[in-house]
């Protein structure tokens, strides 16, 4: 409930904030690509950022409160990135779901997440860690990365951030705070998390971890759960990275002049 209120507060104060941020990122990416036209990575990031910005603007343009700002931002993006000034049509929820289902990679992604979560939980259980579900969550979170590099970065951020967060939570758990003190601290940590997580995932783990551990302690003893959280998350992050590296689409070699087929 608190997270919902915090997330919706921005729409009341600055409804075009996400669109402004998306356009700013797309503009910076386009400028970086223009300075290094031979850098395929920079060009690809710029293209992705521009597509995302135009999608966000299309959504804003469909609402009366944000339409004027969205059209102005579209003109700014057009001048900076050379994109068409007119925005694409906003996809309905049904159309978005249909496009996701027709994407041939969704089955592979679903299988990878399922297998990684099961493997991480199984390893944590065999190792005797107290909360195998945390290992499954660590693997699943790692697999949210869009590329192998992104997944590795997320794994490092989650693992190291969780270890640091567990160290922060340790004295709080040993203090044996009462229910209301714990609840108040959880609310504060939740608010800080919602502010930070969009900017840096690793830093957000410094508040997510104590928050999760404090809530867990309300249901029973908090003894040893900080160490369990760190170990389970490390196992999950490692399994997630292995899943990204080992489970992916392969391309079958074809005769010259024909296109490759993903299998």
């Amino acid at each position: 409930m608190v997270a919902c209120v915090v997330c919706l507060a921005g729409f009341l104060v600055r409804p075009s904030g996400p669109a402004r941020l998306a356009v700013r990122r797309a503009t910076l990416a386009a400028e970086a690509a223009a300075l290094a036209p031979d850098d395929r990575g920079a060009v690809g990031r710029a293209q992705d950022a521009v597509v995302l910005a135009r999608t966000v603007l299309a959504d804003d343009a469909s609402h009366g409160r944000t339409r004027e700002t969205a059209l102005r931002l579209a003109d700014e993006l057009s001048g900076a990135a050379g994109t068409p000034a007119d925005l694409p049509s906003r996809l309905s929820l049904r159309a978005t779901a249909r496009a996701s289902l027709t994407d041939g990679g969704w089955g592979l992604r679903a299988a990878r997440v399922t297998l990684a979560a099961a493997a991480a939980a199984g390893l944590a259980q065999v190792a005797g860690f107290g909360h195998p579900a945390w290992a499954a969550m660590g693997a699943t979170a790692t697999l949210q990365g869009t590329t192998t590099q992104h997944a590795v970065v997320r794994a490092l951020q989650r693992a190291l951030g969780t270890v640091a967060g567990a160290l922060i939570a340790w004295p709080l758990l040993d203090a044996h705070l009462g229910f209301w003190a714990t609840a108040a601290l959880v609310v504060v940590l939740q608010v800080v998390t919602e502010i930070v997580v969009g900017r840096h995932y690793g830093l957000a783990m410094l508040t997510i971890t104590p928050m999760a551990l404090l809530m867990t302690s309300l249901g029973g003893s908090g003894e040893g759960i900080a160490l369990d959280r760190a170990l389970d998350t490390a196992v999950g992050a490692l399994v997630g990275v292995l899943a990204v590296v080992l489970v992916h689409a392969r391309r079958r070699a074809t005769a010259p002049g024909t296109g490759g087929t993903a299998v």
Side-chain angles (χ1 to χ4, degrees), residues 1-12 194:
M1 182 63 180
V2 175
C4 181
V5 172
V6 172
C7 290
L8 291 177
F11 179 76
L12 300 176
E194 296 300 331

Side-chain angles (χ1 to χ4, degrees), residues 214-230:
L214 286 170
M215 289 191 293
T216 302
S217 69
L218 290 175
S221 173
E223 184 178 355
I225 61 174
L227 180 59
D228 280 344
R229 178 79 176 192

Side-chain angles (χ1 to χ4, degrees), residues 57-86:
L57 289 173
D59 185 69
D60 273 19
S62 66
H63 301 283
R65 186 180 178 190
T66 53
R67 178 175 176 78
E68 183 178 350
T69 302
L71 295 177
R72 179 173 56 79
L73 290 173
D75 288 336
E76 293 180 10
L77 182 62
S78 176
T83 58
D86 58 319

Side-chain angles (χ1 to χ4, degrees), residues 46-192:
Q47 292 173 342
D48 291 342
V50 169
V51 170
L52 177 60
R54 284 174 55 79
T55 301
V56 174
L57 289 173
D59 185 69
D60 273 19
S62 66
H63 301 283
R65 186 180 178 190
T66 53
R67 178 175 176 78
E68 183 178 350
T69 302
L71 295 177
R72 179 173 56 79
L73 290 173
D75 288 336
E76 293 180 10
L77 182 62
S78 176
T83 58
D86 58 319
L87 294 172
S89 300
R90 177 177 179 266
L91 290 177
S92 65
L93 182 60
R94 178 179 297 180
T96 302
R98 186 183 299 114
S100 298
L101 291 176
T102 55
D103 177 11
W106 73 269
L108 174 65
R109 291 191 294 269
R112 184 164 56 189
V113 169
T114 301
L115 292 174
L123 286 175
Q125 183 68 39
V126 171
F129 300 156
H131 297 78
W134 287 341
M137 291 167 56
T140 302
T142 298
L143 290 171
Q144 303 310 305
T146 54
T147 64
T148 300
Q149 180 181 2
H150 189 196
V152 172
V153 170
R154 282 183 68 91
L156 290 174
Q157 289 179 337
R158 187 169 183 91
L160 297 179
T162 297
V163 171
L167 292 175
I168 294 173
W170 209 311
L172 297 175
L173 295 170
D174 286 343
H176 300 292
L177 302 174
F179 173 81
W180 291 111
T182 300
L185 186 54
V186 166
V187 169
V188 172
L189 291 171
Q190 178 70 71
V191 172
V192 175

